[in-house]
């Protein structure tokens, strides 16, 4: 009987020179994490002194505090399957992650490495339906805490301009966008997700820091406020049969008067969808050339790590 050959394994891979193995692992590394959706997490509102040139600064007020949303406290997690192949691949991923500014943590059972990064301005804050009320009330709730009852707050500062929400928020409260405008005046772009398209994904790390979600906006248009004619106009072709799009357009009608009264220059609503759930896989399109110096640094780091027994 002919022997069965395992065509899916390269059994001589460990016999390759370490430089070649390292280059192969490097080619399998993921791309730099793209802008993602980071779920809203409680906290993040911190008091800071107002500068003297701030319009809310009062020379007769001893406190002069602003309550600022520190988005750097928001985190998202990623799984990188390559890190689970073997120790050498894990080391290559760890080196790459450190250069990309990712932090490494582990699931509660300590079995799976998870890579964490902080929210950045190119990311989008996602507000789940069950967290909407907490999000809207968060600055006022923070001002009710003991350390801010005495001095008081002169200004609430929320610098993010784009948020993402599920359509169920609009389904439950069609005036939700008006509530948003009343509390967070800087926000001028809303991505609307269909709740039915949001994956029901749970894992042992979800109760601590949520996984970051990859996303993309729909290519079939947006609903944008035109302050010249004081009405919303359609960009592209919106899917009038899509339930989430219908809710988005209906909600826009509820805030039109407010946008006109406040002379709002920009307010945009657009459908978006989830593309992945916090998994960074290997590059699948155009591999990026890896500088020889980077490979050399990686090899030296691995040698030092081996000598130190880490």
């Amino acid at each position: 009987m002919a022997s069965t050959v395992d065509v899916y394994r390269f059994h001589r891979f460990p016999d390759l020179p370490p430089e070649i193995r390292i280059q192969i692992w490097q080619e399998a590394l993921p791309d730099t994490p793209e802008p993602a959706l980071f779920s809203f997490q409680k906290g993040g509102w911190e008091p800071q002194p107002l500068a003297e040139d701030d319009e809310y600064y009062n020379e007769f007020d001893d406190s002069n505090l602003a309550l600022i949303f520190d988005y750097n406290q928001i985190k998202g997690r990623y799984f990188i399957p390559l890190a689970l192949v073997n120790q050498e691949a894990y080391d290559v991923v760890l080196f790459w992650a450190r250069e990309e500014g990712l932090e490494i943590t582990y699931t509660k059972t300590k079995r799976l490495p998870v890579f964490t990064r902080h929210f950045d301005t190119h990311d989008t804050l996602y507000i789940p339906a069950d967290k909407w009320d907490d999000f809207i009330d968060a600055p006022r709730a923070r001002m009710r805490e003991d350390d801010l009852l005495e001095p008081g707050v002169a200004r609430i500062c929320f610098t993010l301009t784009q948020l993402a929400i599920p359509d169920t928020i609009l389904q439950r409260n069609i005036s939700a966008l008006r509530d948003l405008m009343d509390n967070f005046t800087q926000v001028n772009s809303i991505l609307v997700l269909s709740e039915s398209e949001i994956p029901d994904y749970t894992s042992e790390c979800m109760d601590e820091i949520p996984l970051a979600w990859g996303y993309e906006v729909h290519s079939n248009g947006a609903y944008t406020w035109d302050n010249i004619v004081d009405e919303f106009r359609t960009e592209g072709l919106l899917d009038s049969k899509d339930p989430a799009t219908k809710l988005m357009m209906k909600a826009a009608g509820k805030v039109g008067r407010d946008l006109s009264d406040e002379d709002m220059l920009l307010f945009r609503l657009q459908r978006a969808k989830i593309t992945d759930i916090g998994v960074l896989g290997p590059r699948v399109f155009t591999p990026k050339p890896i500088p020889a110096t980077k490979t050399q640094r990686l090899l030296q780091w691995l040698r030092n790590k081996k000598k130190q027994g880490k």
Side-chain angles (χ1 to χ4, degrees), residues 243-263:
T245 300
K246 288 182 180 179
L247 280 170
M248 180 181 78
M249 298 174 72
K250 185 178 179 181
K254 291 288 185 179
V255 297
R257 183 182 297 275
D258 299 286
L259 293 170
S260 179
D261 291 343
E262 296 179 15
D263 197 24

Side-chain angles (χ1 to χ4, degrees), residues 156-208:
I156 295 176
C157 186
F158 186 82
T159 58
L160 300 180
T161 59
Q162 178 168 278
L163 298 176
I165 64 173
D167 58 348
T168 45
I169 288 178
L170 302 178
Q171 190 174 46
R172 185 183 65 187
N173 177 15
I174 201 62
S175 298
L177 296 184
R178 183 177 294 170
D179 296 338
L180 178 68
M181 291 173 55
D182 289 342
N183 291 274
F184 305 100
T185 57
Q186 290 292 110
V187 177
N188 57 32
S189 178
I190 304 293
L191 302 180
V192 180
L193 308 172
S194 172
E195 185 78 41
S196 62
E197 296 174 356
I198 297 176
D200 181 17
Y201 183 86
T202 57
S203 75
E204 58 181 312
C205 75
M206 287 292 284
D207 57 349
E208 294 181 9

